[in-house]
Amino acid sequence: MDWTRYADSHGSEGDAPVAYAWRYRDYLIRALNADVPYDQLVREHLAGDLLEAPRLNAALSLNESALGIGHLRMVLHGFAPTDALEELGRFTDDQINTVSKAFLGLTVSCARCHNHKFDPISQRDFSSWYGIFTSTAPATVAVDAPSSTEGALRAKIAQTKDALREVLVSAWRDDADTLAEKLTMPNAELAKAISGAKLPTALLHPFWRITQSRESTDALVSWRSVNNRSADGDAVRTELRHWDLRRAEDFAAWRHDGAGANGPSAAGAFAIAPDGDRILTGIYPAGVYSHLVSSKDRGVLLSPKFLLDEKHDLWLRLAGEGGAFARFVVQNYPREGSVYPVQKLVQAQQQWIKIPLEYWQGDRVHIELTTAADQPVLADPKATRSWFGLAEAIVTRTGETGPVGAVDFTEPVLATAGDREITTVADLADVFAAVARESLRAWATGTTTDAQALFLDQLLRAGLLRNRPDEIAAAKPLLVFYREREALLRVPTRAPGVIETGAVDQPLFARGNHKQPGELAPRRFLEAIDATPYSARESGRHALAEDLLRPDNPLTARVIVNRVWHHLFGRGLVATPDNFGRMGELPSHPELLDYLAVWFVEHGWSIKELVRFLVASETWQRSSTPPPGAAESDPDNVLLSHAPVRRLEAEAIRDALLGVSGDLKPDEMFGPPVLGDTPRRSVYLRVKRNDLDPFLAAFDAPVPSGPTGRRDVTNVPAQALALLNDSFVRTLAQHWAKRLENDPAAVEPAERIRRMFIEALGRPSTAIETERAQQFVAWAAMQDSSGAEATSPWADLTHAIFNLKEFIFLR
Amino acid sequence: MTTPLTRREMLRRCSTGFGFLALSGLMAQKGYAALRAPAPDFKPRAKSVIFLYMSGGVSHLDSFDPKPLLAKMAGQPMPVKVERTMFNKNGQIFPSPFEFRNYGASGIQISSMFPKIAAACSDDLAVIRSMTSKVNEHAQGNYFFHTGFPTMGHPSAGAWINYGLGSANHDLPGFVVLQSGNAVAPHGGVGLFSNGYLPAQHQASIIKADVANAVANIMPRERDALQRGRLDFVREADTAFLRKSAGDAQIEAAVKNYETAYRMQSAVPELVGIAGETEATKKLYGIDDPHPTKAAYARQCLLARRLVERGVRFVELSCLTEGIGSGGAPNPWDQHGELQKGHAAMANQVDQPIAALMTDLKQRGLLDETLVIWAGEFGRTPFSQGANGRDHNPFGFSIWLAGGGVKGGTIYGATDDLGYHVVDKPVSVYDLWATVLHLLGLDHTNLTYLSGGRNFRLTDVHGNVIREILA
């Protein structure tokens, strides 16, 4: 995780979360435990989501491979940068820096502004990689394994919906037949609804108008005028871009991900309520909807990226509930901020919204719609149900009149009424009833228009079409059947990732200045190894993964072998594990490094095999006592004449404290991150960039700003102060003491002390140590503890043992 | 006959008194052996830096850069292109509600926000009216100002200076960040004070100027005798372990580290305690001022003097929030709304304490060897945000320097008549730090550190010393 600068947040102001970051951490733990071959892990880190035969986890029903790309999202993100292109440059540089250092031991990002000063890496190399990583967009992705049952379930749900539609058509015909009567002689509830229908956007507004006015006026007057205005508006609009997502061709130009929102549906599409006292959630005009099978389904819909070459407005005709997100994305920036607005969708009825883009003139943007748990940064992991529907997206010039359409459902009413003035309730009720019958007929035959769908939806919401299972007996079993099947559909497993957005080569930036683009650099590997451009279709991540692993690339295997060596011996054969370039150190044992790299590949890239091989070596098994003369001839022990003394890493110290105290819950693995006072292994602690765990930080846990192959090992008083005075450490010492004080097998003091040494230091106490410890406990028992936190004398001893250097140093 | 040592005697015998950093321990490790000796490139003019960081962004138009044109054009639209702002709620031209006057022999214009600074030391200031930043947002702006890079991971200026000069007092941390009251780290967090890739002893120690637990875990939770007894037990066992480990240098350093830590437990409260200061001094700073935020900032100022007196290289002070106009704890000067009220309250908090610090340093002859820097991460726009606020403006703003090697009574550079963009002698953060390093006797192009295959500098690949403000 150091190598890929793991973090749960993006840093900067607000320090927004990397949604589901922990799933990548869990992936690494499972992969290392299962000894997944390293070449496969490399592949997955670059392109796990694109593999034809991904690695599946049957037990967890996961596509493990797809989790590998999570590190691409662990970048630092500024807050609401006014220069979005610079931000894109910075976080893409962050991705390149991580990939090139972690896997190649090369500093490719040094070539952002100019050719590398020391290594054969050109600025063109940087730019070609820049094109690879910018041909994607940050995303929350699904990592579920394909299901053997889900397809059948979905087919059953589709059948159920067809059957339900028939039942509803026949029930609602009766409703339509009695509609005129109902509207003419409204019951108390309906009368109340009419009296509240003051606004023209209300279905019952014409009835309100008639009941309000004493003289005879046309009930439809305000609908007619609104409709005229909308027609005028259409006339003066410059539609610079118009995506009509009701059409398959337009939809095909967009990217989509997830089981929902995977294609346009015709007007009259409907969704069934997954719970509660309603049958349907709504009936919709044509468009792309995420919830027609289930509102658990995730939907991600991305428009093509487009350049704002002048001042523009964006218009979206959409609907959504449950906090689904709609926004425009500038230069792939995934966070929300002052000039990065986000719409949280909470309105089931379709509407046009206007989003000014004027501010971003000159930048590339795209449109992003996601269900509530699927926005890359704002995702709410608990929002298991939400949905959106999008029909059209239009880009106009700033300030132009946009489409209106909030009262589109009036169209069939006006068409039926014609030029005739409607001045009586009876007349008006007849018109409504006629429209209802006609709309239902269309709905039954699959020829619904958008306006008819909207009208039916209005009737449904107004309670003029029955929508409760106890009102339509025949619908009840179908509803129950749907809900049973729907409950079996999986809640998608989400993880941080990226989505391919179409391959685009990027220009060289003169001296790294993003405002001075030069010639285009085709996406490809490093030219020192192979300068062949990648396919024009894909971003190139997959090809890059294979190039990292090609046999004539000498670095990848050597870099990982060296990392493992570093981990075991405290110093790599190349002492700069992240830098195999000229500015790195030369290998201390070059032939050994070559040998191990070849051996490693021959043994199936198995990290466990490699570790086993190394720890079985005579070198590993040497004593830490230097042989005579070693201090003079090789003071830094580069030649490994003896085992190096090493301090435990921060996480190991904390885990040891917890483990020895007995508080550690070693079996609680995986899941969302926890805070430092939770007795779980440190690998599960939250890594919030602006609020790093102070205990781990004191013991040199790295700041996750870039890959760290070699941690610092410092010796600062904060470490001693933490072990002496931190209340967490003191509490653990007390728990440890109490545990042994209550242990019937450790009643006798000498035995208790012996056990303490075994538990903390892995060896029994010597006779002298036992005696000293007993003396100390006896002495501590006599001390005046007034005015301080009281502890038992045995806790004074356990706390002392935590402070032994032998506790944190390995020799 | 032997008598048990009192804590005070113990401290005296341990003589080095106070040391956060166990330098000996660090030096014993490979890689740190070559700690730079303090061998300056030039004759140093200053030994220490006090960085008065005005987090959130002080308006230059309301403090040190008077623009009469704004009053003439009040309420009119901006006559020039308006750059992208943070909030895009741009209003019309907004004249300063504060009045400017000329001060001192130099006649430097300072607004009614800072009457005490103006009266105490206007002729000591070198006001740079042409400061710029590349960043328009707090966290990135703070990182840029502190480290020369807009994201976390790079060493803070205070760390670089300690790395470059070495410590003037091995018993004290070289880089201290002071906080008091509700002050917190600016947006971006404590990473702003990081050593980055430099050795860890160069990182800042955060000292809370007004609480007993001034440094994390500094308060023993038990009686001294018990702790001492435990440490004796530990030391005896450690000595045996060290013997078995053939005197391993890392272990030896860790053992010594415990003595340092033990001494710190009493030395830190002594340092932070101001009992020894005279009533006149306390009054000068405003230690007992009825305004709690002002009193808290005054404590930081007084402690800053005590720290530079003892040879601390770099002390950064932290403003407290007055909770006005979106100025929160990390960004107290950030008046996107209620600029007049908010800036007046913030100025009231720092004016007297800073004036007192300048006066006190001068009286003690310390100002000649102490460089004082007053700056925020950016300025504010000449047009309003909403009704009565100002948005961020990184294109031109004011900071000032005073003290060691600085030519007082200087105005350097200029913004346009609207105070929007720099039009004369633009100064970058790199230029500022190049100048600061120069005054400390360091050539900024020589102060490098190899990390990840690249030689990094505080000034990246930029920076020019601003010679016109040098005395």
Side-chain angles (χ1 to χ4, degrees):
Chain A
M1 285 159 73
D2 288 8
W3 308 340
T4 53
R5 41 86 178 101
Y6 176 89
D8 291 296
S9 72
H10 288 298
S12 198
E13 183 178 341
D15 205 9
V18 181
Y20 313 100
W22 55 274
R23 286 226 159 87
Y24 169 75
R25 173 248 285 150
D26 289 356
Y27 152 85
L28 286 180
I29 293 172
R30 285 192 301 269
L32 292 174
N33 282 343
D35 198 23
V36 173
Y38 180 73
D39 57 338
Q40 177 67 13
L41 289 181
V42 171
R43 218 169 264 129
E44 292 175 357
H45 272 72
L46 271 298
D49 55 325
L50 306 175
L51 301 185
E52 272 173 32
R55 192 162 58 82
L56 301 178
N57 180 329
L60 297 173
S61 188
L62 284 181
N63 174 350
E64 291 277 10
S65 298
L67 282 155
I69 56 172
H71 70 96
L72 293 174
R73 292 287 318 290
M74 310 269 165
V75 296
L76 293 162
H77 276 304
F79 174 71
T82 52
D83 188 341
L85 184 56
E86 187 190 39
E87 166 77 10
L88 174 66
R90 197 162 51 225
F91 76 78
T92 308
D93 185 18
D94 186 340
Q95 294 170 326
I96 292 172
N97 187 42
T98 302
V99 168
S100 71
K101 279 187 184 163
F103 302 117
L104 288 172
L106 285 181
T107 52
V108 172
S109 77
C110 284
R112 182 175 172 186
C113 308
H114 47 71
N115 290 344
H116 202 289
K117 285 195 173 157
F118 306 102
D119 299 331
I121 302 166
S122 63
Q123 193 190 1
R124 208 173 297 276
D125 283 336
F126 177 86
S127 301
S128 66
W129 284 35
Y130 187 80
I132 294 171
F133 290 106
T134 52
S135 293
T136 65
T140 288
V141 297
V143 291
D144 299 292
S147 157
S148 55
T149 53
E150 193 117 338
L153 266 179
R154 285 176 186 275
K156 282 221 177 75
I157 285 174
Q159 287 165 12
T160 311
K161 284 186 76 177
D162 288 343
L164 183 62
R165 184 198 293 249
E166 280 177 33
V167 168
L168 290 175
V169 164
S170 96
W172 288 352
R173 276 202 183 111
D174 297 342
D175 293 344
D177 289 341
T178 57
L179 182 62
E181 188 189 328
K182 237 189 237 169
L183 287 169
T184 320
M185 311 274 289
N187 62 18
E189 200 184 339
L190 191 55
K192 196 175 161 215
I194 290 172
S195 70
K198 215 164 148 182
L199 295 175
T201 47
L203 173 73
L204 298 172
H205 175 72
F207 290 91
W208 174 84
R209 182 164 285 283
I210 287 187
T211 53
Q212 287 298 304
S213 54
R214 301 200 181 282
E215 68 260 45
S216 77
T217 42
D218 179 14
L220 300 175
V221 62
S222 41
W223 283 7
R224 291 189 213 269
S225 71
V226 169
N227 239 30
N228 286 339
R229 206 170 58 231
S230 140
D232 290 348
D234 286 354
V236 297
R237 201 164 54 235
T238 324
E239 294 187 350
L240 298 165
R241 288 166 203 280
H242 186 166
W243 288 286
D244 186 345
L245 293 152
R246 298 168 296 188
R247 292 149 43 96
E249 311 89 273
D250 286 17
F251 176 76
W254 288 45
R255 303 271 158 176
H256 66 92
D257 193 41
N262 54 8
S265 44
F270 62 96
I272 304 176
D275 47 36
D277 199 25
R278 288 184 304 167
I279 302 170
L280 296 194
T281 315
I283 300 170
Y284 308 109
V288 179
Y289 293 87
S290 68
H291 68 316
L292 296 180
V293 173
S294 163
S295 54
K296 286 193 292 191
D297 281 346
R298 60 191 294 281
V300 174
L301 199 53
L302 307 177
S303 79
K305 292 175 183 171
F306 56 98
L307 179 69
L308 300 174
D309 42 10
E310 45 185 318
K311 291 183 176 14
H312 297 317
D313 286 331
L314 172 66
W315 300 83
L316 298 174
R317 183 141 78 99
L318 47 57
E321 283 185 298
F325 296 101
R327 65 179 188 125
F328 64 90
V329 183
V330 192
Q331 307 283 12
N332 268 359
Y333 180 71
R335 293 181 63 180
E336 182 182 23
S338 53
V339 285
Y340 295 85
V342 173
Q343 320 287 325
K344 248 185 146 176
L345 304 181
V346 289
Q347 180 165 322
Q349 278 143 298
Q350 190 182 67
Q351 56 174 336
W352 279 103
I353 61 167
K354 173 188 169 181
I355 305 173
L357 299 175
E358 180 183 351
Y359 183 90
W360 293 109
Q361 183 179 4
D363 276 298
R364 288 178 80 78
V365 302
H366 65 277
I367 302 159
E368 175 194 272
L369 279 93
T370 64
T371 31
D374 295 288
Q375 206 277 345
V377 170
L378 302 170
D380 174 3
K382 293 188 200 81
T384 45
R385 289 195 186 276
S386 70
W387 65 272
F388 65 81
L390 179 67
E392 287 178 274
I394 300 176
V395 179
T396 66
R397 293 215 170 89
T398 290
E400 289 180 336
T401 312
V404 179
V407 286
D408 283 351
F409 65 88
T410 62
E411 270 175 40
V413 176
L414 295 174
T416 305
D419 295 337
R420 196 153 56 91
E421 286 209 345
I422 309 291
T423 54
T424 68
V425 170
D427 251 10
L428 185 60
D430 280 345
V431 171
F432 267 58
V435 174
R437 276 193 299 273
E438 182 54 28
S439 300
L440 271 178
R441 203 185 50 72
W443 197 54
T445 55
T447 56
T448 326
T449 65
D450 277 358
Q452 286 172 329
L454 289 165
F455 187 79
L456 287 174
D457 189 60
Q458 288 284 337
L459 289 177
L460 194 66
R461 282 171 206 290
L464 296 170
L465 297 177
R466 284 170 290 166
N467 194 26
R468 290 217 315 268
D470 56 5
E471 294 171 329
I472 306 174
K476 209 168 179 174
L478 291 171
L479 181 66
V480 170
F481 189 80
Y482 167 80
R483 288 181 176 176
E484 284 171 4
R485 293 298 164 282
E486 200 267 350
L488 296 175
L489 290 174
R490 292 181 300 189
V491 172
T493 309
R494 281 128 172 148
V498 296
I499 286 181
E500 295 269 299
T501 53
V504 178
D505 291 336
Q506 293 287 337
L508 263 67
F509 293 126
R511 288 181 302 283
N513 186 345
H514 62 285
K515 288 175 180 157
Q516 290 184 40
E519 59 178 302
L520 289 181
R523 291 158 298 106
R524 56 158 176 72
F525 195 43
L526 303 175
E527 61 191 353
I529 297 178
D530 189 346
T532 315
Y534 289 157
S535 135
R537 268 188 335 107
E538 291 173 350
S539 64
R541 287 186 289 129
H542 199 169
L544 179 59
E546 295 308 326
D547 276 341
L548 290 176
L549 296 167
R550 54 197 276 166
D552 61 347
N553 167 8
L555 288 166
T556 306
R558 281 165 182 76
V559 166
I560 182 61
V561 163
N562 187 61
R563 289 190 187 283
V564 172
W565 185 280
H566 169 87
H567 189 74
L568 291 172
F569 290 93
R571 183 184 191 282
L573 295 170
V574 173
T576 51
D578 298 326
N579 191 357
F580 275 47
R582 287 262 308 278
M583 294 299 277
E585 289 195 26
L586 288 172
S588 54
H589 304 70
E591 298 86 354
L592 177 59
L593 182 63
D594 287 350
Y595 171 77
L596 288 174
V598 172
W599 187 95
F600 179 62
V601 174
E602 282 174 353
H603 286 76
W605 302 80
S606 161
I607 291 176
K608 282 193 175 178
E609 284 291 320
L610 177 64
V611 171
R612 200 173 290 129
F613 185 50
L614 295 181
V615 300
S617 70
E618 194 261 339
T619 310
W620 170 256
Q621 289 165 20
R622 292 207 162 198
S623 149
S624 63
T625 310
E632 292 74 41
S633 57
D634 181 18
D636 294 334
N637 193 28
V638 173
L639 301 174
L640 292 164
S641 60
H642 55 283
V645 172
R646 298 168 57 198
R647 201 200 71 206
L648 295 183
E649 291 179 328
E651 291 87 343
I653 293 172
R654 184 178 167 280
D655 291 356
L657 289 167
L658 279 166
V660 169
S661 77
D663 281 12
L664 184 70
K665 304 239 162 41
D667 299 329
E668 280 185 22
M669 292 176 73
F670 309 121
V674 296
L675 298 181
D677 56 0
T678 314
R680 292 184 56 189
R681 287 192 54 192
S682 307
V683 73
Y684 299 111
L685 294 198
R686 186 184 71 173
V687 185
K688 192 165 167 55
R689 278 181 159 127
N690 288 0
D691 188 16
L692 296 169
D693 184 88
F695 187 88
L696 297 186
F699 287 97
D700 308 310
V703 173
S705 55
T708 305
R710 184 180 64 184
R711 288 188 179 190
D712 292 334
V713 184
T714 67
N715 176 44
V716 291
Q719 295 163 356
L721 287 170
L723 291 173
L724 281 173
N725 295 335
D726 191 315
S727 61
F728 175 72
V729 176
R730 286 176 60 87
T731 304
L732 293 178
Q734 286 160 25
H735 290 181
W736 181 23
K738 183 152 276 175
R739 181 165 61 78
L740 285 178
E741 284 177 79
N742 293 336
D743 186 344
V747 174
E748 203 271 310
E751 172 59 17
R752 191 177 289 170
I753 290 164
R754 196 183 74 89
R755 278 173 182 250
M756 284 180 175
F757 272 66
I758 290 174
E759 289 180 4
L761 309 176
R763 63 170 179 87
S765 50
T766 64
I768 291 175
E769 284 167 339
T770 308
E771 191 194 325
R772 292 278 193 236
Q774 266 183 290
Q775 284 169 355
F776 174 71
V777 172
W779 175 82
M782 294 186 309
Q783 292 305 301
D784 172 14
S785 64
S786 58
E789 288 177 10
T791 56
S792 87
W794 285 100
D796 288 325
L797 177 60
T798 52
H799 193 191
I801 293 175
F802 280 162
N803 279 279
L804 295 179
K805 302 307 151 289
E806 193 175 352
F807 183 67
I808 59 169
F809 279 95
L810 285 178
R811 59 176 281 273
Chain B
M1 179 184 142
T2 54
T3 47
L5 289 179
T6 65
R7 189 156 165 166
R8 200 162 288 276
E9 278 168 326
M10 184 75 202
L11 261 171
R12 226 182 355 253
R13 290 194 188 187
C14 293
S15 81
T16 42
F18 175 94
F20 285 72
L21 298 161
L23 285 166
S24 55
L26 286 157
M27 306 243 264
Q29 291 167 46
K30 180 173 161 28
Y32 298 143
L35 254 183
R36 282 176 69 106
D41 300 302
F42 322 109
K43 183 174 177 291
R45 306 293 303 273
K47 294 178 181 165
S48 300
V49 176
I50 295 177
F51 189 22
L52 305 165
Y53 196 59
M54 302 291 118
S55 181
V58 188
S59 169
H60 54 299
L61 305 161
D62 300 295
S63 54
F64 291 95
D65 196 6
K67 292 294 169 188
L69 184 62
L70 297 184
K72 288 191 198 115
M73 294 185 68
Q76 294 180 32
M78 284 288 282
V80 296
K81 180 178 176 246
V82 172
E83 309 280 348
R84 285 176 179 175
T85 56
M86 186 79 189
F87 282 88
N88 200 29
K89 299 226 168 72
N90 308 334
Q92 311 301 350
I93 288 177
F94 178 26
S96 176
F98 299 96
E99 278 174 33
F100 283 82
R101 270 183 48 201
N102 297 345
Y103 285 92
S106 57
I108 285 183
Q109 288 172 296
I110 300 175
S111 85
S112 53
M113 270 168 65
F114 297 117
K116 296 209 159 125
I117 292 174
C121 57
S122 60
D123 286 338
D124 296 310
L125 308 185
V127 176
I128 296 174
R129 285 186 180 164
S130 53
M131 192 64 204
T132 59
S133 173
K134 288 201 293 197
V135 197
N136 205 359
E137 179 273 334
H138 296 294
Q140 290 127 278
N142 291 330
Y143 272 107
F144 186 55
F145 218 99
H146 280 77
T147 72
F149 295 85
T151 51
M152 70 194 308
H154 298 274
S156 200
W160 276 112
I161 286 166
N162 273 282
Y163 164 68
L165 293 181
S167 181
N169 177 344
H170 280 231
D171 301 333
L172 281 171
F175 178 14
V176 169
V177 172
L178 293 173
Q179 294 175 347
S180 56
N182 62 26
V184 300
H187 276 306
V190 294
L192 292 167
F193 316 129
S194 158
N195 56 299
Y197 23 77
L198 299 178
Q201 75 265 33
H202 300 306
Q203 69 187 258
S205 298
I206 295 176
I207 296 184
K208 297 201 190 295
D210 55 352
V211 296
N213 202 18
V215 172
N217 291 321
I218 200 71
M219 296 277 286
R221 292 166 192 273
E222 60 203 334
R223 289 246 164 170
D224 183 53
L226 184 58
Q227 191 185 56
R228 195 63 242 173
R230 170 155 52 243
L231 286 172
D232 289 343
F233 173 82
V234 168
R235 194 183 46 210
E236 191 180 322
D238 284 348
T239 307
F241 179 62
L242 184 60
R243 212 165 31 240
K244 276 196 279 181
S245 312
D248 181 85
Q250 290 180 79
I251 298 174
E252 188 181 8
V255 171
K256 284 185 184 161
N257 193 10
Y258 269 68
E259 279 308 320
T260 312
Y262 176 75
R263 290 197 303 271
M264 278 176 64
Q265 292 178 151
S266 50
V268 167
E270 276 174 9
L271 176 86
V272 174
I274 52 168
E277 301 288 339
T278 65
E279 282 309 309
T281 302
K282 289 185 198 167
K283 195 153 183 255
L284 181 69
Y285 281 86
I287 296 291
D288 298 316
D289 196 274
H291 273 283
T293 51
K294 182 183 189 178
Y297 196 76
R299 256 191 129 80
Q300 291 186 38
C301 284
L302 178 52
L303 200 50
R305 191 216 79 214
R306 289 170 67 87
L307 288 166
V308 297
E309 243 172 359
R310 287 158 176 78
V312 171
R313 290 287 185 199
F314 197 100
V315 184
E316 176 165 343
L317 280 65
S318 314
C319 292
L320 291 79
T321 179
E322 301 285 345
I324 301 172
S326 54
N331 53 331
W333 282 94
D334 198 22
Q335 268 79 56
H336 288 278
E338 297 187 273
L339 178 108
Q340 182 176 6
K341 189 176 165 208
H343 266 41
M346 286 305 299
N348 178 58
Q349 176 192 126
V350 304
D351 185 36
Q352 182 188 339
I354 291 175
L357 173 63
M358 294 292 292
T359 304
D360 201 12
L361 288 173
K362 240 192 281 190
Q363 279 169 0
R364 289 167 197 256
L366 286 168
L367 190 59
D368 292 339
E369 55 190 47
T370 305
L371 179 59
V372 181
I373 307 170
W374 179 98
E377 67 269 37
F378 33 60
R380 308 200 80 88
T381 52
F383 48 89
S384 68
Q385 174 180 346
N388 54 10
R390 296 191 195 275
D391 210 324
H392 308 163
N393 182 8
F395 311 109
F397 58 102
S398 301
I399 65 171
W400 57 256
L401 283 74
V406 172
K407 197 200 300 177
T410 316
I411 288 177
Y412 181 85
T415 53
D416 57 32
D417 288 344
L418 297 159
Y420 193 23
H421 286 271
V422 167
V423 289
D424 186 32
K425 300 172 188 159
V427 172
S428 67
V429 166
Y430 314 115
D431 300 331
L432 170 66
W433 291 125
T435 307
V436 170
L437 293 177
H438 180 87
L439 288 170
L440 293 164
L442 294 168
D443 179 344
H444 70 102
T445 61
N446 285 345
L447 185 63
T448 62
Y449 197 85
L450 183 63
S451 167
R454 192 183 142 189
N455 264 314
F456 281 95
R457 285 177 12 203
L458 174 56
T459 53
D460 197 1
V461 295
H462 314 279
N464 293 297
V465 175
I466 314 166
R467 302 207 173 260
E468 289 172 54
I469 66 163
L470 304 183

